């Protein structure tokens, strides 16, 4: 399927800053309005490296907030494939087993592709692929509270593992990699993933692109 000129919109920001809520709200509201044919959504987390060759204990030692944890080259290859009109098999990732599952999700090429993830704007080969960049500038204390709740409820973690990981990797990586990448954003969104004005601005831009 030829999709004409595509637009890739990246949504980055700290862990638990509301990236996936923002991206999925834009996606779902536009799909309800315009149908799902011309919009697709990808997650950087799906591109965490496969660690099935490592034991569970070894996997818990990985720094999941460092760029080396991601297979960004595969994500860039997939974005290029979607741009050229080819469907891709997006990997699926489990935060409980710290590796990919056996399943993949088929993503069809689309005119507008949303991608969300913590380190998207830190990688030059990815930045070259992005037409519009958004940074979720949610206060870190709000992110931390959300992260604790989510990791305990959804990701099978203990409070001590969450606090240790936060101090050792999540917080240092925010200051080393994520915060400096804000300079590459076209749009900085305050107040989290429910910022409806920012959602409406991105939706309006996408409607305009789809009408061209
Ligand atoms: N992570 C982890 N264990 C793994 C893989 C990832 O704890 N096996 C954590 C990393 O520490 C990283 C986070 O997952 O900080 C990345 O996911 P995050 O951005 O928090 O998830 P989203 O749901 O996309 O966040 P948001 O609330 O912004 O949508």
């Amino acid at each position: 399927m030829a999709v004409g000129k595509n637009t890739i919109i990246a949504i980055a920001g700290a862990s638990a800053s509301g990236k996936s809520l923002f991206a999925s709200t834009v996606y779902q509201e536009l799909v309800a309005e315009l149908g799902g044919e011309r919009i697709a959504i990808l997650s950087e987390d799906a591109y965490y490296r496969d660690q099935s060759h490592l034991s569970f204990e070894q996997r818990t030692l990985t720094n999941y907030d460092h760029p080396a944890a991601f297979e960004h080259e595969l994500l860039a290859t997939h974005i290029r494939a979607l741009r050229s009109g080819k469907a891709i098999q997006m990997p699926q990732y489990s935060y409980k087993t710290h590796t990919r599952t056996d399943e993949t999700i088929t993503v069809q090429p689309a005119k507008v592709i949303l991608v969300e993830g913590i380190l998207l704007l830190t990688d030059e080969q990815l930045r070259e692929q992005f037409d519009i960049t958004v940074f979720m500038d949610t206060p870190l204390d709000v992110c931390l509270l959300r992260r604790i709740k989510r990791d305990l409820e959804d990701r099978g973690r203990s409070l001590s593992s969450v606090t240790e990981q936060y101090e050792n990797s999540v917080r240092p990586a925010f200051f080393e990699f994520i915060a400096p990448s804000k300079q590459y954003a076209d749009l900085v969104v305050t107040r989290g993933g429910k910022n409806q004005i920012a959602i409406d601005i991105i939706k309006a831009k996408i409607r305009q692109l789809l009408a061209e």
Side-chain angles (χ1 to χ4, degrees), residues 73-138:
E73 46 300 356
L74 180 63
L75 175 56
T77 302
H78 279 179
I79 293 173
R80 279 194 293 272
L82 290 168
R83 270 195 195 280
S84 68
K86 296 191 192 94
I88 57 125
Q89 296 299 320
M90 179 167 70
Q92 292 301 287
Y93 186 77
S94 166
Y95 301 97
K96 291 190 177 158
T97 60
H98 305 289
T99 192
R100 288 185 191 164
T101 70
D102 293 336
E103 276 128 56
T104 57
I105 290 185
T106 305
V107 179
Q108 298 294 342
K111 188 156 163 56
V112 173
I113 298 164
L114 297 162
V115 197
E116 63 88 13
I118 51 174
L119 295 176
L120 291 175
L121 301 185
T122 68
D123 186 304
E124 198 180 344
Q125 63 168 338
L126 287 175
R127 283 202 305 272
E128 283 168 5
Q129 298 284 339
F130 301 145
D131 303 291
I132 300 172
T133 48
V134 178
F135 188 92
M136 304 302 295
D137 203 8
T138 311

Side-chain angles (χ1 to χ4, degrees), residues 12-102:
S15 170
S17 58
K19 303 173 297 295
S20 43
L21 179 62
F22 187 86
S24 64
T25 305
V26 168
Y27 176 75
Q28 282 162 14
E29 290 186 5
L30 282 173
V31 167
E33 189 183 308
L34 305 165
E37 294 273 289
R38 292 177 297 163
I39 315 169
I41 186 162
L42 302 178
S43 165
E44 184 191 34
D45 288 6
Y47 294 84
Y48 270 118
R49 289 187 190 281
D50 184 50
Q51 300 195 116
S52 50
H53 57 292
L54 300 178
S55 70
F56 182 81
E57 284 307 308
Q58 287 171 314
R59 291 179 211 161
T60 62
L61 301 176
T62 302
N63 180 348
Y64 293 102
D65 293 85
H66 191 279
F70 290 94
E71 200 175 347
H72 278 158
E73 46 300 356
L74 180 63
L75 175 56
T77 302
H78 279 179
I79 293 173
R80 279 194 293 272
L82 290 168
R83 270 195 195 280
S84 68
K86 296 191 192 94
I88 57 125
Q89 296 299 320
M90 179 167 70
Q92 292 301 287
Y93 186 77
S94 166
Y95 301 97
K96 291 190 177 158
T97 60
H98 305 289
T99 192
R100 288 185 191 164
T101 70
D102 293 336

Side-chain angles (χ1 to χ4, degrees), residues 12 14 17 70 74 91 100 104 113 143 154-155 161 180-181 190 200:
S17 58
F70 290 94
L74 180 63
R100 288 185 191 164
T104 57
I113 298 164
C143 298
D154 306 332
R155 295 191 181 176
S161 86
S181 77
T190 56
D200 288 346

